[in-house]
Amino acid sequence: MVHLTADETALVTGLWAKVNVKEYGGEALGRLLVVYPWTQRFFEHFGDLSSASAVMHNPKVKAHGEKVLASFGDGLKHLDDLKGAFAELSALHCEKLHVDPQNFKLLGNMLVCVLSRHLGKEFSPQAQAAYEKVVAGVANALAHKYH
Amino acid sequence: MVYFTAEEKAAITSLWGKVNVEEAGGKALGRLLIVYPWTQRFFDKFGNLSSASAIMGNPKIKAHGKKVLNSFGDAVENPDNLKGTFAKLSELHCDKLLVDPENFRLLGNVIVIVLANHFGKEFTPQVQAAWQKMVTGVASALARKYH
């Protein structure tokens, strides 16, 4: 369970309002596939992933990135119960998708990088600390139903 | 051993040429101490670390951050021999400084986030991938002499 102070929660939700979920989601997932190439194995059926620019422009990667980030955004409404909020997705990623939960941490790092890149000065050290807590919490929640 | 392509080396050195080492080093070390507060244990003698703004304004943190990032510059110049380049520092961190090598990975990630924050558009997925390799390589090299 993630414990955010009132200030941290305010920082997280305040900055989230400025996030372009479609754009940042596609970028975060694309960057994951470029920076950690082994993650491409989960998206072999997505078409052309043959170069960084192919990955970043791939419409399926963009669409899926948006979907993933939207679900992250939903999670932000349930910071007091991330495990409950992500229980079904956790079971899905374990039983059907067979994704090593380490990858949730990598994607979380990627999201923090994307936020840092876009938000610049606004992504203060305190904002970074709050978001790193949240992505760690989401990664744990997604791993919780693994068996 | 970490292998960099010619393009990756070019991406790394080109970005490094634009980095203000003093400023970026201080920011990276400061953010490490804020985002991962247990790392403050290594800097008990540095004075006021009582808040995010105390940390970011702390002159000893800024000076030490600059020193750490300067030594990263050696990595940029010797990408094919990171282990040799960091052999002495590795022994120092193990035998004298008693630093858990996991912290090298954490600092590496923070450096990537600070670069993303500063360089925005220029911090393309390919540049990020090259730098992620670099920080991972340095972290491994620093851990190599541990026993």
Side-chain angles (χ1 to χ4, degrees), chain B residues 47-63:
Chain B
N48 187 2
L49 303 180
S50 61
S51 69
S53 70
I55 289 172
M56 296 310 282
N58 182 311
K60 287 187 174 184
I61 293 291
K62 287 182 181 188

Side-chain angles (χ1 to χ4, degrees), chain A residues 56-87:
Chain A
M56 299 311 287
H57 290 101
N58 182 309
K60 287 187 172 179
V61 171
K62 287 182 178 188
H64 195 71
E66 180 184 355
K67 185 174 174 183
V68 167
L69 200 62
S71 133
F72 185 87
D74 289 341
L76 293 184
K77 298 170 194 161
H78 302 279
L79 290 170
D80 294 333
D81 182 26
L82 289 176
K83 290 192 171 89
F86 286 100

